[in-house]
Amino acid sequence: MRKHERFSAILERISHDGSIDVEQLVADFGVSPATARRDLDELAAQQLVSRTRGGAVGGSVSYGLPVRYRTARQSDQKRRIADRAAQMIEAGTVVGFNGGTTTTEVARSLASRADIAEGEAGALTSLTVVTNALNIASDLAVRPQLRVVVIGGVIRPQSFELVGHFARPVIDSMTIDLLFLGVDAVSAEYGAATRHDDEGEINQAMASRARRVVVVADGSKLGKRAFCTIAPPSGIDALLTDKGADTGAVRDFERAGVEVIQA
């Protein structure tokens, strides 16, 4: 198990049980006591946990599992979705990303496209990326062929997204050609949704400025509901999901007039 996968599992365990000890880490993950202690020390240095004698407890900060440690979930499906999504992006367009693990994978796939990586003549030099996710902006900022526009706001540590009223003037002044929307849940009845109202408000605004909205979500999120609606079914142009998604849920989206693409 790679380090980031262990970190994800450790944080999941602490979030559920409230604490974890070195002996548990050794038994569950097959690492040495020294490695277990180093893992906990590193998480404590990032203020994600508080170290105790022989283990760790939940940190004093309030956190959902940070996005960089959630990338292991449904990782194969997300990568296939991301690779397909990246191929939908054409030169000369304005592409939007909200925060989340799947949109982060899409951005990484975009950055790895040969025509961008090699700087070929006619590459996507006119491509503009708009995002409220700091981690996505950071990943793409090193690509000189891309112009990256970051929406202002207040950082939400759990997802690295910028939220709040400072973001609205920037969003309201732009038009997005293609928005890739990461969600906590999406259904043919209720549409795309997130658990957090501050993220939902900004995501709603981004969707309202997009000519085409593509929800990127692995099959585990289909047919689910979440607290804050981002876009109703009529506001979703396409759903990009994995081939293992429930066939009944897929048919529901198609009946609702949403194009379904499975990768």
Side-chain angles (χ1 to χ4, degrees), residues 98-99 132 161 171 179 181-182 194 198-208 230:
N98 70 335
N132 70 324
E161 287 189 85
I171 296 173
L179 174 65
L181 192 63
T194 178
D198 52 358
E199 291 180 8
E201 179 184 8
I202 299 306
N203 296 168
Q204 288 170 9
M206 293 176 71
S208 72
I230 300 172

Side-chain angles (χ1 to χ4, degrees), residues 56-242:
V57 297
S60 59
V61 295
S62 173
Y63 64 89
L65 196 58
V67 65
R68 64 185 179 278
Y69 297 131
R70 287 189 277 121
T71 53
R73 297 178 179 174
Q74 308 291 333
S75 56
D76 290 340
Q77 293 93 325
K78 291 179 191 294
R79 280 192 287 270
R80 290 196 298 271
I81 291 168
D83 290 344
R84 178 65 179 85
Q87 296 305 315
M88 298 170 65
I89 300 171
E90 299 179 354
T93 59
V94 179
V95 182
F97 298 101
N98 70 335
T101 55
T102 310
T103 50
T104 296
E105 287 295 329
V106 177
R108 289 171 179 167
S109 290
L110 171 62
S112 67
R113 274 179 52 176
D115 52 353
I116 296 176
E118 298 172 7
E120 296 175 352
L124 305 187
T125 53
S126 60
L127 182 68
T128 297
V129 173
V130 176
T131 185
N132 70 324
L134 293 179
N135 63 308
I136 290 176
S138 177
D139 284 347
L140 298 181
V142 297
R143 301 290 180 179
Q145 299 90 341
L146 303 178
R147 180 172 66 163
V148 181
V149 178
V150 181
I151 295 168
V154 178
I155 299 173
R156 187 173 187 277
Q158 294 90 337
S159 63
F160 303 146
E161 287 189 85
L162 295 164
V163 299
H165 71 273
F166 293 112
R168 291 306 297 265
V170 178
I171 296 173
D172 291 343
S173 66
M174 63 177 59
T175 298
I176 299 170
D177 295 310
L178 177 62
L179 174 65
F180 289 105
L181 192 63
V183 299
D184 290 322
V186 60
S187 73
E189 183 177 1
Y190 298 102
T194 178
R195 291 189 294 268
H196 307 287
D197 59 322
D198 52 358
E199 291 180 8
E201 179 184 8
I202 299 306
N203 296 168
Q204 288 170 9
M206 293 176 71
S208 72
R209 303 298 298 174
R211 292 177 179 170
R212 181 170 170 80
V213 175
V214 178
V215 171
V216 286
D218 63 74
S220 69
K221 296 179 179 178
L222 271 58
K224 305 292 179 60
R225 299 174 59 181
F227 172 66
C228 182
T229 299
I230 300 172
S234 60
I236 301 171
D237 296 294
L239 168 66
L240 177 50
T241 188
D242 60 84

Side-chain angles (χ1 to χ4, degrees), residues 238-259:
L239 168 66
L240 177 50
T241 188
D242 60 84
K243 292 183 178 178
D246 179 74
T247 55
V250 168
R251 285 196 295 269
D252 288 342
F253 281 104
E254 291 173 338
R255 283 194 288 265
V258 176
E259 178 187 3

